[in-house]
Amino acid sequence: MSIAHTLLGLLEAGPRHGYDLKRAFDERFGHDRPLHYGQVYSTMSRLLKNGLVEVDGVEAGGGPERKRYAITDAGVTDVEQWLGRPEKPEPYLQSTLYTKVVLALLTGRAADAVLDAQRAEHLRLMRDLTRRKSSGDLADQLICDHALFHLEADLRWLELTAARLDRLSKEVQA
């Protein structure tokens, strides 16, 4: 996820302080990985330097001055271009799980045990996500669905690999 673009997009609704940006980010996108304040302010500093935001006001408080940031026209254009650019699909051609299966076969270990352990972990996570989805709002449900669909694809791969394990073992040992 591009944190810079996400913060810029949040600024399109109107000027905000770094604290408000962090809170809005965490509410919408940071359920599992909230932003650190330092990350917000370093990102805003970079966006300011690049002309994508400007300081809309400074308020004195009990601590350091609070800057209110506003998106510039260049920032709006940058967000528009980012939104229009499709994300590169991840083909997972360098799978750690595949590597573990092959190494288990190469070293005489039980590759089916590797697959079984992974299957159990996937199913555990799927149960957790399903519980979270049932009690979450629409945004949480969509995020959980995305993760669940990927986990389902992984489970299909695990089953296919288990079915081909004898053949793979012969090829790896050759």
Side-chain angles (χ1 to χ4, degrees), residues 21-31 137 139:
L21 284 168
K22 180 205 175 340
R23 193 173 67 230
F25 181 96
D26 289 352
E27 285 175 9
R28 297 274 185 205
F29 313 107
H31 292 276
D137 61 10

Side-chain angles (χ1 to χ4, degrees), residues 90-160:
E90 295 294 330
Y92 301 107
L93 294 177
Q94 292 297 322
S95 168
T96 303
L97 186 53
Y98 171 77
T99 302
K100 285 183 171 187
V101 169
V102 170
L103 284 175
L105 292 171
L106 285 172
T107 60
R109 291 182 174 91
D112 56 340
V114 172
L115 293 171
D116 290 343
Q118 193 62 50
R119 184 181 305 103
E121 183 60 19
H122 270 61
L123 291 171
R124 184 202 60 75
L125 181 55
M126 290 175 83
R127 284 189 298 274
D128 290 349
L129 289 169
T130 301
R131 275 192 295 276
R132 176 177 165 181
K133 179 181 159 180
S134 68
S135 63
D137 61 10
L138 180 59
D140 214 30
Q141 291 170 12
L142 290 170
I143 289 167
C144 289
D145 280 339
H146 187 263
L148 285 164
F149 293 150
H150 282 273
L151 290 167
E152 287 173 6
D154 287 350
L155 282 175
R156 286 195 314 266
W157 181 86
L158 289 167
E159 294 305 320
L160 179 66

Side-chain angles (χ1 to χ4, degrees), residues 64-77:
E65 293 180 333
R66 292 184 51 193
K67 294 178 185 173
R68 188 174 56 245
Y69 299 96
I71 192 167
T72 63
D73 290 341
V76 171
T77 300

Side-chain angles (χ1 to χ4, degrees), residues 8 18 29 36 127 142 161 164:
L8 282 172
F29 313 107
H36 296 286
R127 284 189 298 274
L142 290 170
T161 303
R164 295 179 176 173

Side-chain angles (χ1 to χ4, degrees), residues 3 9 18 42 59 64 68-70 75 82-83 87 91 139 157-158 162:
I3 292 169
S42 65
E59 299 169 9
R68 188 174 56 245
Y69 299 96
W82 177 69
L83 290 172
E87 290 297 310
W157 181 86
L158 289 167

Side-chain angles (χ1 to χ4, degrees), residues 43-57:
T43 301
M44 296 312 295
S45 177
R46 200 170 47 256
L47 293 172
L48 186 62
K49 185 179 87 171
N50 293 336
L52 301 176
V53 298
E54 61 190 7
V55 175
D56 186 57

